[in-house]
Amino acid sequence: MAVRTVLTALSFVALAAPAMASSVIHPAPTELGYTTHPEHAEPGKSREQVLSEMDQSKKDGTWQYHRFGAPVPAKGKAMTREEVLADLERSQKHPSWAARRVGAPVPAVPAP
């Protein structure tokens, strides 16, 4: 059993080592526990690209959502109350409705 644990740990290190080599932070046997290597960072967007995206976000109104980390609402036509109720009634007639409403796994059922 111990051999299996050692082999598992070694295989993890062998698989993770290439990924760590390309990151900015590397583990180290020091008090801090890591070292930083900024030269390993991949080039990102330019300052001008980021500023133009931020200006666009402020213009279209999504800045307020990004600012607080909230999901951005989907754009499109909103459903009316009648459409939502009709969709609910259609869903309730589906054979798996009872399982779906409690979050149980639902087997694949062909569409009627």
Side-chain angles (χ1 to χ4, degrees):
M1 196 66 151
V3 172
R4 178 187 248 175
T5 306
V6 171
L7 289 175
T8 303
L10 287 175
S11 65
F12 173 75
V13 170
L15 291 173
M20 285 188 258
S22 65
S23 71
V24 177
I25 296 175
H26 299 270
T30 62
E31 185 176 340
L32 188 58
Y34 65 90
T35 58
T36 58
H37 299 272
E39 65 275 7
H40 293 175
E42 294 181 11
K45 297 179 181 180
S46 70
R47 178 176 172 79
E48 290 75 27
Q49 288 173 315
V50 172
L51 290 176
S52 72
E53 287 178 8
M54 190 169 75
D55 288 340
Q56 179 60 38
S57 178
K58 286 180 180 179
K59 286 178 188 173
D60 65 19
T62 58
W63 170 249
Q64 294 301 319
Y65 298 100
H66 294 299
R67 195 172 124 202
F68 296 110
V72 178
K75 294 182 180 180
K77 181 182 165 280
M79 294 174 68
T80 65
R81 180 175 174 78
E82 291 75 27
E83 290 172 330
V84 172
L85 291 174
D87 189 34
L88 175 64
E89 288 176 17
R90 184 186 53 75
S91 298
Q92 288 175 335
K93 292 176 183 173
H94 194 276
S96 66
W97 170 256
R100 287 181 194 274
R101 61 182 268 272
V102 294
V106 179
V109 179

